[in-house]
Amino acid sequence: MELQPDPYTAACPSRQVLDRIGDRWTVLLLGVLADGPKRFTELGRRVEGISQKMLTQTLRGLERDGLVTRTVQATVPVRVDYELTDLGRTLSAPIAALEAWARDHIGDVITARESYDRRQPQP
């Protein structure tokens, strides 16, 4: 009998997958790539605030996990494109749903934060 993946167990590999797709840079990059292939520089411009180091690390992790492909074209200068794999595209709908939820509920979240902050003792 094979055990089912349990992300609530520390050693379960499914937790690593949730860690990857729950990362803010991953969510944003997958959202941008849902529109089609992008160059490294396009991704960096579209996702404000991501450093070149984090962009590189995140894309490498997504490539390692089979969610993104990296294609190098022998041009001058060299062109590198990133694109969702079939597996990566299966995350497009959940990512779009998270984005829609954030847009739809940001007012509620801001109101809740303000209410919380008003209840906190002032130093």
Side-chain angles (χ1 to χ4, degrees), residues 56-121:
T56 298
Q57 286 179 354
T58 304
L59 288 169
R60 282 184 184 155
L62 292 170
E63 186 178 11
R64 181 173 184 249
D65 288 346
L67 302 174
V68 168
T69 58
R70 178 180 184 267
T71 304
V72 178
Q73 298 178 14
T75 58
V76 177
V78 172
R79 179 183 172 123
V80 180
D81 291 309
Y82 293 88
E83 183 175 10
L84 293 179
T85 62
D86 289 342
L87 180 61
R89 278 189 282 284
T90 66
L91 284 168
S92 293
I95 297 287
L98 285 171
E99 288 178 6
W101 185 93
R103 286 187 185 104
D104 292 346
H105 296 284
I106 188 59
D108 298 326
V109 171
I110 289 170
T111 299
R113 287 177 181 174
E114 290 168 350
S115 175
Y116 177 88
D117 291 347
R118 282 193 300 274
R119 292 191 312 267
Q120 299 309 305

